[in-house]
Amino acid sequence: MPAVCDGSLPAGPPTSPAPPLWKLFGCAEASPYSLVDICLNVLVADLAKFCTERPDGSLCLKESQRLPQEVADRLLQIMSYQELLNDGTVGIFQGNQIRLKQACIRKAKISAQSFKKAFCHHKLVQLDAAGMNETVTIADVVSGLGSNNWIQNNLQCLILDSLTLFPTNSYERCFGQLPGLRSLSITNVLFGDEHLADVATLPRLESLNISNTSVTNISALLACRNRLRSLTMYSLKCLKMPTAKFLDVIGRLKYLVHLDISDDQHSGSEIAFCLLRQKDILPNLVSLDISGNKSITDEAVEAFVRQRPRMHFIGLLGTAAGFTEFVSGQGSLKVSGGENEMQILEALKRYNERPVFVKEAFFHLFLQTCFMKITKPEILKLVIIGMKNHPLDLAVQLTASACVLNLTRQGLAAGMPVRLLSSVIQLLLKAMETFPEQRQLQKNCLLSLSSVRILQDVPFNRFVAAKFVVQWLCNQENQHIQRIAVNVISILGLKLSDEQAAQLSAEFYIVVGKLLEIIEQKTNQSELDATFHFTLRALWNLTDEAPTICTHFMDHKGLDLFLEVLEIFSSDSSIQHKVLGLLVRSKSEQRGGGERAAPQANAEGLHG
C-alpha cells in the first residue's frame, strides 16, 4: 500500500491505496476536460512561449501574476505526468511567483541544485519524488528539504521510491532533519537496518513503506510501536529473522491497523501462514495484505477475519484462498484476488505499480472478459494505468493487449469514452513499437484497431498506425488477418493528411502491390470471397483523390489485371461496377482530376 499523502492521515488506513498524483487523471472520462486543465495543457505544450530564459538556462514565466496554489500544484502534476520536468522547466517554480503545497516530481530529470532552487523554499506538506534520475540521491532530497525550517516541522508525507540512498555506501543519519514527517515510502532502495533505525526515531511517524529494501531485521520498529499505524513491507528478500521473532515484533506494534506482507516473488515464506494462526495478534487490524503467499487457505483467512470484525480489506491475489462467499469481495470486506471481477479490479487498483501482480491480475481479467457484453469504462481505465506504469514489461503489455481486445470488441467500443479509447490506442501503438517481434501482441493490437468507432472517431497517431498495418499486410498470409489489415489500412489512408500520405508513399507503393497480388490470386482461382470484395473496397478508398497511389496502381500493372478481372467475372455486376470505377478514377487522377467519393467499409471486416 503506497504511503497516504493527502496532507493528513485518516483515522484508519484507506480502503484502497491513494494513487500517486500523476495518475489522478480522467476521473470523469466521458465529461469534457475542465477549463483549468485545458489552459494548463496549452501552457505546458508550448512552455517556452510563455517564459523568458535565465542566464543559467532555466525558465521563468513572463507574467507577474501569481497562480493560485491549487492551480500551481496541478501544473506541476501535469508536467510530471508528461515527463517534462528537467533543469530548464522546473525554473518556473523558483522564486515567489508560484507557491506549491503538494508537489509531484516523479521521474524528474533534474540536478540536486535545481531541486533545491525550485522546490525547497515552498511550504510543502507532501512531496512525491519517486523515480527521479540517479544523480539526485535521497540524501540530497532530505538535506534540501531540511534547509527550510517550515518544511522541517510541517512536511507530512514523503515518497522516495526507487532512488539512490547516498552518493557512497557510507551510512549517514539524515531523516532526523524532518521531525514533522508522518508518512514515508522508501521502496526499491538499498535501505538497510541502520537506516530503519534512523527512520523509526521520527517522533510523528505513523505510516511506513519499506518494501523491496535491504532490511534484514525489523526489530528497530519497536522504537515507534506506540505511533506506527500503517506498515507496508512486501518482498523483503533480505529478511533473516526467524518467523517467531518477526511475529513477536509485529505483535508489539499495538496501534497497527494496516499491514502488508504480500509477496509478489512467491518466495514460500511461512510468515503469512503463521500470522493467520495467531488469535490475539493485532486486534485493531482493519487491513491485511498477504497476496502471493501460496500456502494461504480460505478456512484460515475466514477464522482470522472473524476474530477481527472491523477488518475491511484482505489481499489474496496469488494465493489458494478467495473462493468462498465470505471472501468473495461482494460485501463490506474488500478482497483483492483473481476469482471474480470485483476481486480483480481491487487487485488492479492496489497493485498497479507491481508488475508481477499486474500481469497476474490481467490474466484473470482476460478470462473474466472473454464473453463480455457490457461496456465497462472503469475496467479499461485500470488496464490503461497498468500499461502506462510498465511500458517495458512484455508480460504486462501482452496480457493487457488481450484484455483491451476483449473490452472493445463486438461493439463494446461504441460505449467507451473517446478519451479512454484514445489513451489505450496510443499505449498499444507504443507497445507495438517496443516489441516489434512479438507476433501475438502485434496481432492483438491490430484486432483492437479494427473497430469502426476507433478508426472513425478516436484521435490517435494514425501515421504510426498506418505504418504498422502496412507491415502486417505485407508479412501476413493468414487470410482472416489479411482481410482485417486491408480494411483498416483503407480507412486509415483516408484519415492521413497529404503530408503524412506523402511520407508513406513508399509504404503505400508496397500496399497497392500487395492488394493487387491478392486480387490476382483470387482471380486466378475464380474465388469471389470476402477478402476479394474487401480488397476492391480498399483500393477504391485508397485511390480517392490520390494521384500518387493511382500511379502506383498503374506501375503495378493494375490496368492489365483489372481488364482480366472484367473478363473473368463478366456476369457479376457489382464487380464490374467497382472495377470500371477504379479504372476510370486511376486514369483521371493521373491527369489531376477526380471527385472525392465516400469511403467504403464493410462490417464483416471491421467490428463496431
Side-chain angles (χ1 to χ4, degrees):
M1 179 186 249
V4 179
C5 286
D6 59 357
S8 63
L9 291 173
T15 56
S16 61
L21 290 175
W22 68 311
K23 291 176 187 166
L24 299 180
F25 284 83
C27 294
E29 290 81 5
S31 303
Y33 288 100
S34 71
L35 183 58
V36 169
D37 278 355
I38 291 172
C39 293
L40 290 179
N41 275 288
V42 169
L43 172 62
V44 168
D46 200 3
L47 190 60
K49 177 181 177 182
F50 299 95
C51 295
T52 57
E53 187 173 317
R54 298 186 181 94
D56 64 358
S58 63
L59 299 180
C60 177
L61 289 173
K62 292 178 181 177
E63 298 297 329
S64 59
Q65 291 84 359
R66 289 186 179 183
L67 291 176
Q69 174 260 310
E70 294 85 356
V71 177
D73 287 346
R74 182 64 169 172
L75 172 61
L76 178 59
Q77 181 185 30
I78 290 174
M79 292 176 67
S80 172
Y81 182 82
Q82 297 183 18
E83 298 186 22
L84 297 176
L85 297 177
N86 54 50
D87 286 338
T89 58
V90 298
I92 67 173
F93 300 101
Q94 295 181 25
N96 298 320
Q97 190 174 356
I98 291 181
R99 285 298 187 185
L100 299 169
K101 183 178 181 181
Q102 299 176 346
C104 176
I105 55 174
R106 283 194 164 219
K107 298 186 178 181
K109 296 177 176 61
I110 58 178
S111 66
Q113 183 180 16
S114 293
F115 167 76
K116 189 171 182 178
K117 282 184 177 180
F119 303 111
C120 293
H121 64 288
H122 295 280
K123 292 184 176 181
L124 298 178
V125 296
Q126 91 177 38
L127 173 66
D128 183 350
M132 283 204 300
N133 55 293
E134 59 186 14
T135 59
V136 182
T137 66
I138 288 176
D140 292 329
V141 174
V142 174
S143 63
L145 295 171
S147 66
N148 182 325
N149 290 333
W150 193 94
I151 288 180
Q152 287 182 15
N153 296 304
N154 294 280
L155 182 70
Q156 297 184 26
C157 176
L158 181 60
I159 300 178
L160 300 171
D161 301 343
S162 304
L163 297 186
T164 302
L165 192 56
F166 300 113
T168 66
N169 292 327
S170 61
Y171 169 56
E172 299 179 37
R173 298 179 66 89
C174 67
F175 291 99
Q177 299 176 62
L178 302 173
L181 206 58
R182 299 174 65 187
S183 177
L184 174 65
S185 180
I186 191 164
T187 70
N188 307 315
V189 173
L190 291 176
F191 176 93
D193 296 348
E194 66 274 26
H195 309 124
L196 181 61
D198 182 16
V199 167
T201 61
L202 289 171
R204 299 180 188 175
L205 187 68
E206 297 180 0
S207 176
L208 179 63
N209 186 345
I210 54 170
S211 302
N212 198 26
T213 59
S214 303
V215 170
T216 66
N217 190 311
I218 64 167
S219 297
L221 292 175
L222 293 176
C224 57
R225 62 183 179 275
N226 294 324
R227 300 186 301 277
L228 200 61
R229 299 173 61 245
S230 176
L231 177 59
T232 301
M233 47 181 183
Y234 59 79
S235 299
L236 290 184
K237 305 182 189 70
C238 300
L239 192 67
K240 296 179 180 179
M241 296 179 72
T243 298
K245 178 63 175 175
F246 181 92
L247 292 177
D248 177 64
V249 173
I250 292 296
R252 295 169 67 183
L253 304 177
K254 57 184 179 180
Y255 292 105
L256 205 63
V257 292
H258 165 73
L259 176 64
D260 183 346
I261 52 172
S262 56
D263 181 12
D264 51 18
Q265 305 300 316
H266 302 297
S267 65
S269 169
E270 295 183 349
I271 290 176
F273 175 77
C274 294
L275 172 66
L276 294 181
R277 300 174 66 183
Q278 303 280 326
K279 290 186 178 181
D280 300 322
I281 196 170
L282 302 175
N284 298 315
L285 205 63
V286 299
S287 171
L288 174 65
D289 201 331
I290 50 177
S291 291
N293 291 277
K294 293 291 187 182
S295 58
I296 304 305
T297 64
D298 280 323
E299 293 75 18
V301 170
E302 183 169 347
F304 186 87
V305 174
R306 287 193 183 279
Q307 292 165 5
R308 296 157 184 80
R310 288 189 294 175
M311 283 194 65
H312 55 62
F313 170 73
I314 185 82
L316 300 176
L317 182 67
T319 70
F323 301 96
T324 65
E325 183 177 354
F326 182 79
V327 288
S328 66
Q330 305 289 338
S332 59
L333 181 67
K334 300 295 183 184
V335 179
S336 64
E339 173 60 15
N340 57 51
E341 184 179 304
M342 290 191 69
Q343 289 185 6
I344 296 167
L345 298 191
E346 192 69 28
L348 287 173
K349 292 173 186 175
R350 290 178 177 268
Y351 308 134
N352 57 61
E353 294 190 351
R354 299 172 65 178
V356 174
F357 279 171
V358 170
K359 181 198 70 172
E360 189 162 352
F362 279 166
F363 174 74
H364 290 295
L365 180 63
F366 170 74
L367 297 178
Q368 285 282 330
T369 56
C370 281
F371 304 101
M372 179 78 70
K373 294 183 179 179
I374 302 173
T375 301
K376 295 198 172 183
E378 68 278 10
I379 299 181
L380 185 60
K381 180 178 178 180
L382 292 173
V383 174
I384 289 171
I385 292 174
M387 292 181 72
K388 185 168 182 63
N389 285 356
H390 310 286
L392 302 180
D393 192 305
L394 174 58
V396 168
Q397 296 298 319
L398 180 58
T399 51
S401 69
C403 292
V404 170
L405 182 57
N406 282 352
L407 292 167
T408 58
R409 73 194 328 168
Q410 300 300 328
L412 293 176
M416 286 289 182
V418 169
R419 195 182 307 181
L420 283 181
L421 291 174
S422 177
S423 295
V424 80
I425 293 300
Q426 289 294 118
L427 288 169
L428 289 175
L429 293 175
K430 185 65 176 178
M432 291 187 293
E433 180 183 345
T434 305
F435 304 104
E437 304 301 322
Q438 224 301 321
R439 302 296 290 174
Q440 187 59 52
L441 172 65
Q442 304 274 323
K443 180 180 176 181
N444 291 345
C445 297
L446 174 66
L447 292 172
S448 293
L449 270 177
S450 67
S451 162
V452 172
R453 169 84 191 287
I454 289 173
L455 287 171
Q456 297 283 14
D457 302 333
V458 175
F460 62 92
N461 193 328
R462 286 176 166 78
F463 178 77
V464 172
K467 292 186 70 173
F468 154 70
V469 177
V470 168
Q471 293 170 0
W472 257 84
L473 183 60
C474 297
N475 299 320
Q476 187 60 235
E477 297 301 325
N478 180 287
Q479 287 200 10
H480 174 66
I481 300 298
Q482 200 175 66
R483 184 167 69 241
I484 293 174
V486 164
N487 278 272
V488 171
I489 193 60
S490 70
I491 294 180
L492 282 177
L494 292 170
K495 296 288 186 177
L496 298 176
S497 67
D498 291 342
E499 181 181 352
Q500 290 174 326
Q503 292 181 52
L504 287 175
S505 177
E507 284 82 357
F508 279 134
Y509 182 85
I510 298 172
V511 167
V512 171
K514 183 66 176 179
L515 295 177
L516 291 174
E517 181 182 312
I518 295 172
I519 293 291
E520 182 177 19
Q521 180 185 14
K522 297 297 181 182
T523 301
N524 292 339
Q525 298 171 354
S526 298
E527 189 176 359
L528 284 177
D529 61 2
T531 301
F532 184 91
H533 286 281
F534 294 160
T535 306
L536 278 181
R537 291 189 178 95
L539 284 168
W540 176 272
N541 288 349
L542 290 172
T543 55
D544 184 32
E545 281 195 349
T548 301
I549 294 181
C550 289
T551 300
H552 296 338
F553 176 85
M554 302 300 287
D555 291 344
H556 282 289
K557 301 189 183 304
L559 179 60
D560 295 338
L561 175 59
F562 271 37
L563 290 175
E564 184 180 349
V565 172
L566 285 173
E567 181 179 346
I568 293 177
F569 300 115
S570 58
S571 60
D572 192 313
S573 59
S574 64
I575 297 296
Q576 296 273 315
H577 172 75
K578 289 184 177 63
V579 169
L580 287 172
L582 275 164
L583 290 174
V584 171
R585 174 183 289 173
S586 296
K587 296 299 289 184
S588 61
E589 289 288 1
Q590 279 194 306
R591 301 189 190 101
E595 182 177 346
R596 191 167 184 80
Q600 297 185 5
N602 192 297
E604 295 178 33
L606 302 176
H607 67 78

